[in-house]
Amino acid sequence: QVQLEESGGGGVQAGDSLRLSCTASGSLSRYHMGWYRQAPGKQRELVASSHRFIRPNYADSVKGRFTIYRDNANDTVYLQMSSLKSEDTAVYYCFLRQFTTTYWGEGTLVTVSS
């Protein structure tokens, strides 16, 4: 059973930066990892994803502001968020896709005040 531990959420002002971290249990660097988010009243949406053999993928709304990167030695994926906007306010969920199974973290809240 894969476990994902997230950290780094919090409250910031518009224009600030924040970094989210997600550490997976076990040696899982070969798998697809990334972040989704869910804002109040909205569906969960993909923010960014990373795979060791594929170029990172970003939602159009975060391109140029967010960067996903991995520390494979420590089974950790990071989401560096810059120039945050109020519309980035959401619960951010880390995910790991192992073959046909997707594992989720519990979520970390990011609140951006304008």
Side-chain angles (χ1 to χ4, degrees):
Q1 182 73 16
V2 173
Q3 292 186 324
L4 302 174
E5 184 175 350
E6 301 149 327
S7 63
V12 296
Q13 296 290 317
D16 285 352
S17 297
L18 202 61
R19 189 180 76 166
L20 305 182
S21 303
C22 173
T23 299
S25 59
S27 180
L28 301 164
S29 63
R30 71 176 77 93
Y31 299 114
H32 206 177
M33 293 183 72
W35 298 87
Y36 275 73
R37 69 185 179 186
Q38 188 165 20
K42 295 188 177 181
Q43 290 187 327
R44 191 174 294 192
E45 63 173 355
L46 177 67
V47 178
S49 63
S50 170
H51 188 281
R52 61 189 300 184
F53 299 122
I54 302 173
R55 186 187 299 270
N57 181 48
Y58 296 96
D60 288 343
S61 59
V62 306
K63 284 180 181 177
R65 300 189 299 120
F66 290 12
T67 302
I68 187 170
Y69 60 100
R70 302 170 71 136
D71 177 358
N72 289 324
N74 293 301
D75 296 303
T76 300
V77 62
Y78 300 93
L79 185 68
Q80 178 67 49
M81 306 184 291
S82 302
S83 302
L84 283 161
K85 305 175 181 179
S86 57
E87 51 262 46
D88 295 318
T89 294
V91 178
Y92 286 71
Y93 296 92
C94 176
F95 78 91
L96 183 147
R97 193 158 296 131
Q98 186 180 44
F99 303 115
T100 58
T101 302
T102 300
Y103 298 92
W104 296 95
E106 292 187 351
T108 185
L109 177 63
V110 173
T111 303
V112 184
S113 303
S114 57

